[in-house]
Amino acid sequence: MSRTTADLPAAVLFDMDGTLVDSEPLWFEAEIEVMTALGGPWGRDDHVACMGGPLEHTVAYMNARLPVAADPDTLGTMIMDVMESRVRANDVAWKPGARALVAECRELGLPAALVSASWRRIIGAVGDRAAGDLGGSAFDAIVAGDEVARSKPDPEPYLTGAAALAVSPDACLAIEDSPTGVASAVAAGCGVVAVPSPANRERVALPGVVVVETLAGRTIADLWGATRV
């Protein structure tokens, strides 16, 4: 059976960290390195509390854990410097099924955007690897966390991504992993599929959100159809 336009979204909006690529372990390592250097504690629960959020949230959270608060701009720069160096020095693996979905968008001629809370410099480091793996640029637009006035969980990033592709948000499929990102996509009016870590599974189960354990074996039509039920 051939697919019709109704079977597919007008565009697909992908989150990056934890959704497309397995970069969360690198973020955790970077956070530990920065906090250790500044004399503060950091554990898995701290990392989960910051997943998917803007840098400003992570900086504020870290400062609340430090014995002596650091200058926010300096702390933010430290995090970005350490994370970028780790991304460029390590292989960043695709999450199961993610590469196939991005490639499918290209095959179908579906517009695709990357909508991330990460800053442009981190997206660039990850994107360099993704482009090499896919044989060229994978996205028609990129929305970075430092290029919007209000990052996730505000709807602005997903509204901006849809506008960049000249489509209505409610005609877009958004694929996310974190509660912060899911809240942003839901508020923007997108059809939302969440592929969360076990720690976040209950927190992403918002009304209308389709929660899946993995993207492996899924197609764009499968995921879009699930959001239409």
Side-chain angles (χ1 to χ4, degrees):
M1 181 183 298
S2 62
R3 292 191 180 111
T4 67
T5 302
D7 296 326
L8 296 169
V12 183
L13 309 177
F14 293 96
D15 173 54
M16 184 178 76
D17 295 303
T19 301
L20 286 185
V21 293
D22 193 18
S23 52
E24 291 299 347
L26 295 181
W27 277 111
F28 188 34
E29 291 172 5
E31 291 158 2
I32 290 173
E33 181 176 334
V34 170
M35 289 296 281
T36 299
L38 296 175
W42 198 257
R44 177 64 62 180
D45 288 346
D46 299 307
H47 172 67
V48 170
C50 295
M51 282 177 62
L55 180 64
E56 293 79 6
H57 169 70
T58 301
V59 166
Y61 186 100
M62 285 182 160
N63 260 333
R65 300 280 281 151
L66 288 173
V68 178
D71 173 73
D73 290 339
T74 301
L75 181 52
T77 298
M78 287 178 67
I79 299 167
M80 290 295 104
D81 287 347
V82 173
M83 182 58 184
E84 183 177 6
S85 68
R86 286 183 177 273
V87 169
R88 295 194 180 278
N90 295 275
D91 289 333
V92 182
W94 289 92
K95 296 288 286 186
R99 183 187 184 282
L101 289 176
V102 175
E104 186 186 5
C105 286
R106 295 179 64 183
E107 292 165 6
L108 295 173
L110 274 179
L114 190 65
V115 180
S116 177
S118 286
W119 283 25
R120 174 69 68 158
R121 60 188 288 195
I122 306 301
I123 294 172
V126 173
D128 288 346
R129 293 185 176 276
D133 196 14
L134 290 168
S137 178
F139 303 103
D140 300 291
I142 293 175
V143 179
D146 57 328
E147 296 172 350
V148 292
R150 297 171 299 279
S151 191
K152 301 174 185 180
D154 192 272
E156 181 180 349
Y158 278 99
L159 294 175
T160 302
L165 300 178
V167 297
S168 174
D170 63 6
C172 292
L173 172 64
I175 304 178
E176 268 284 356
D177 75 306
S178 72
T180 303
V182 165
S184 174
V186 167
C190 302
V192 184
V193 170
V195 54
S197 66
N200 282 328
R201 188 172 182 82
E202 292 185 3
R203 296 174 64 207
V204 301
L206 302 177
V209 175
V210 176
V211 180
V212 298
E213 292 186 5
T214 179
L215 297 176
R218 308 278 183 165
T219 67
I220 299 298
D222 293 337
L223 297 175
W224 180 242
T227 70
R228 302 296 92 187
V229 175

